[in-house]
Amino acid sequence: MDHGQSNTRAISLPGRWFYLITVFFLALSGFGQMPIFKRYYIADIPGLGWLAEFFITHYIHYLAAILFLAFAAYMIIDYLLSKRKSRQMTATGYVRSVLLAGILASGIFLVIRNLAGSNFSSGFIIFLDLCHLGLVMAFLFVSLYCLVSKKHWTTVR
């Protein structure tokens, strides 16, 4: 049996692990941008001091975002070119896709905000931060629901 072409899974086991590890580091470094690890003494645990360093978590977040975007682009292209005829997006797949698109859009604006010469108003920056965080939390909760109830991104036609 060829596990790469299984009827129940649209992605291989290494691909799933890459996705999970990337999302883990995105969430960890994203929450590291807020001072919660220092405030709640998590950074005082031996080996976790780097979680309180803003620029370390900032660069890890950017690196994980680049890896995640590359992986997402690969999966989208693979779906459109070879799996669209045999697989169909589920309702939960569409919900997660919309949430990821919102996270991507707000993340792009936050990256632009960090560039020299950007002139976003403070109210818009607060809106972007809350929007990005809210979408991430919604994505994590929807993903947890999908994991518990065994809902997949796609299904076999």
Side-chain angles (χ1 to χ4, degrees), residues 7-8 10 79 83-88 154-157:
N7 287 335
T8 59
Y79 175 76
K83 293 185 177 144
R84 186 168 46 164
K85 292 184 176 33
S86 64
R87 301 196 70 81
Q88 177 179 343
T154 61
T155 187
V156 177
R157 285 189 185 214

Side-chain angles (χ1 to χ4, degrees), residues 108-121 125 128:
I108 287 172
F109 278 112
L110 289 170
V111 169
I112 292 170
R113 176 207 60 181
N114 288 334
L115 298 175
S118 67
N119 293 330
F120 292 156
S121 69
I125 292 171
L128 283 176

Side-chain angles (χ1 to χ4, degrees), residues 8-20:
T8 59
R9 295 284 183 190
I11 185 173
S12 66
L13 185 62
R16 277 182 272 160
W17 276 106
F18 184 81
Y19 170 78
L20 290 172

Side-chain angles (χ1 to χ4, degrees), residues 66-150:
I66 290 167
L67 292 173
F68 185 79
L69 288 173
F71 182 72
Y74 168 76
M75 292 304 297
I76 290 168
I77 291 168
D78 183 47
Y79 175 76
L80 292 175
L81 294 180
S82 65
K83 293 185 177 144
R84 186 168 46 164
K85 292 184 176 33
S86 64
R87 301 196 70 81
Q88 177 179 343
M89 288 279 287
T90 61
T92 56
Y94 280 117
V95 169
R96 288 187 274 185
S97 297
V98 167
L99 289 171
L100 283 177
I103 292 167
L104 172 66
S106 61
I108 287 172
F109 278 112
L110 289 170
V111 169
I112 292 170
R113 176 207 60 181
N114 288 334
L115 298 175
S118 67
N119 293 330
F120 292 156
S121 69
S122 59
F124 185 61
I125 292 171
I126 292 171
F127 167 76
L128 283 176
D129 287 336
L130 293 175
C131 181
H132 194 70
L133 180 61
L135 289 169
V136 166
M137 294 302 294
F139 177 76
L140 291 175
F141 284 126
V142 168
S143 296
L144 181 63
Y145 164 76
C146 291
L147 179 69
V148 169
S149 61
K150 299 187 186 305

Side-chain angles (χ1 to χ4, degrees), residues 22 25-26 29-30 33 54-70 106-115 132:
T22 305
F25 276 104
L26 278 169
S29 61
Q33 298 296 293
F54 174 79
F55 285 108
I56 291 174
T57 58
H58 182 75
Y59 290 128
I60 289 173
H61 196 69
Y62 275 17
L63 177 63
I66 290 167
L67 292 173
F68 185 79
L69 288 173
S106 61
I108 287 172
F109 278 112
L110 289 170
V111 169
I112 292 170
R113 176 207 60 181
N114 288 334
L115 298 175
H132 194 70

